[in-house]
């Protein structure tokens, strides 16, 4: 089951040094965790609640959609298995059908012998974006993912954020200070 809801993610840093990557990752984690019930109530408010539907319909609509389908475990001795190339994963439709968003990403992680592999399918409105635009965006995304993966391998990567600590009320700076004092 999928919950579709708008989200805008922002980070406080624009540089991509090792320290800022970790900071940006923590900021995004906190923003996503702050969404009530993982956004499950959005569609009710947007489409079914007569008091909010009209007001929400007047708001601008997101132009980018991202759908992570999750991880598909490796099938062993199965009669059949979905492959990442399958239209069933993407939910292919008639290409004459108008797109709801200017840009749509569908991502899935599939287990392979060499380890998990992330596959991303991109669909875009050719009237708004060129294939070159998408290639540049894809290259930037691969670079960002590689930077995050490299950061995750560092010994000091990770750490707690405010949403991890439900029994105390600390901000990120206070958590970082305590971690530094304890040598974590």
């Amino acid at each position: 089951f999928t919950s579709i809801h708008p989200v805008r993610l922002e980070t406080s840093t624009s540089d991509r040094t090792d320290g800022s990557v970790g900071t940006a990752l923590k900021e995004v984690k906190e923003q996503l965790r702050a969404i009530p019930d993982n956004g499950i109530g959005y569609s009710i408010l947007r489409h079914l609640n007569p008091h909010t539907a009209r007001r929400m319909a007047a708001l601008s609509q997101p132009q980018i959609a991202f759908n992570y389908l999750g991880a598909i475990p490796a099938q062993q001795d199965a009669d059949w298995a979905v492959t990442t190339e399958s239209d069933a994963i993407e939910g292919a439709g008639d290409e004459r059908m108008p797109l709801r968003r200017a840009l749509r990403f569908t991502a899935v992680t599939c287990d392979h012998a060499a380890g998990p592999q992330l596959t991303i399918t991109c669909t875009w409105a050719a009237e708004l974006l060129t294939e070159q635009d998408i290639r540049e965006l894809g290259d930037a995304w691969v670079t960002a993912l590689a930077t995050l993966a490299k950061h995750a391998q560092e010994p000091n990567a990770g750490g707690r954020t405010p949403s991890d600590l439900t029994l105390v009320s600390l901000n990120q700076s206070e958590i970082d200070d305590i971690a530094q004092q304890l040598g974590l």
Side-chain angles (χ1 to χ4, degrees):
F1 297 101
T2 299
S3 173
I4 298 173
H5 56 88
V7 63
R8 180 181 180 143
L9 302 172
E10 297 183 7
T11 61
S12 62
T13 180
S14 61
D15 64 338
R16 299 295 178 244
T17 61
D18 286 340
S20 71
V21 170
T23 299
L25 191 57
K26 287 178 181 178
E27 290 171 351
V28 168
K29 171 185 167 185
E30 287 301 295
Q31 290 172 66
L32 291 174
R33 285 192 172 174
I35 298 169
D37 298 319
N38 294 316
I40 199 145
Y42 171 77
S43 288
I44 293 170
L45 292 173
R46 169 65 180 86
H47 300 286
L48 300 177
N49 184 321
H51 302 291
T52 57
R54 191 175 313 117
R55 288 188 2 209
M56 291 180 78
L59 299 174
S60 63
Q61 294 298 308
Q63 294 302 304
I64 301 171
F66 181 85
N67 186 11
Y68 179 63
L69 300 174
I72 298 175
Q75 299 289 324
Q76 298 187 5
D77 299 327
D79 291 335
W80 69 275
V82 175
T83 66
T84 55
E85 296 83 20
S86 171
D87 288 343
I89 285 182
E90 173 59 22
D94 188 332
E95 51 186 53
R96 296 171 296 177
M97 187 173 177
L99 298 174
R100 294 185 68 197
R101 308 284 183 255
L103 185 59
R104 182 180 71 195
F105 298 100
T106 303
V108 63
T109 303
C110 294
D111 287 342
H112 293 278
Q117 180 180 4
L118 177 66
T119 300
I120 301 169
T121 303
C122 181
T123 307
W124 67 93
E127 298 81 18
L128 301 174
L129 300 163
T130 66
E131 186 171 340
Q132 182 61 33
D133 294 331
I134 301 305
R135 287 189 187 283
E136 290 173 10
L137 180 60
D139 289 344
W141 198 355
V142 168
T143 299
L145 289 174
T147 302
L148 286 169
K150 180 182 175 195
H151 170 76
Q153 294 173 351
E154 297 294 324
N156 61 346
R160 302 284 183 207
T161 61
S163 65
D164 294 321
L165 308 173
T166 58
L167 299 178
V168 294
S169 179
L170 297 173
N171 65 37
Q172 189 62 54
S173 179
E174 292 167 327
I175 294 169
D176 292 342
D177 288 345
I178 293 169
Q180 185 177 16
Q181 292 171 10
L182 297 174
L184 302 174

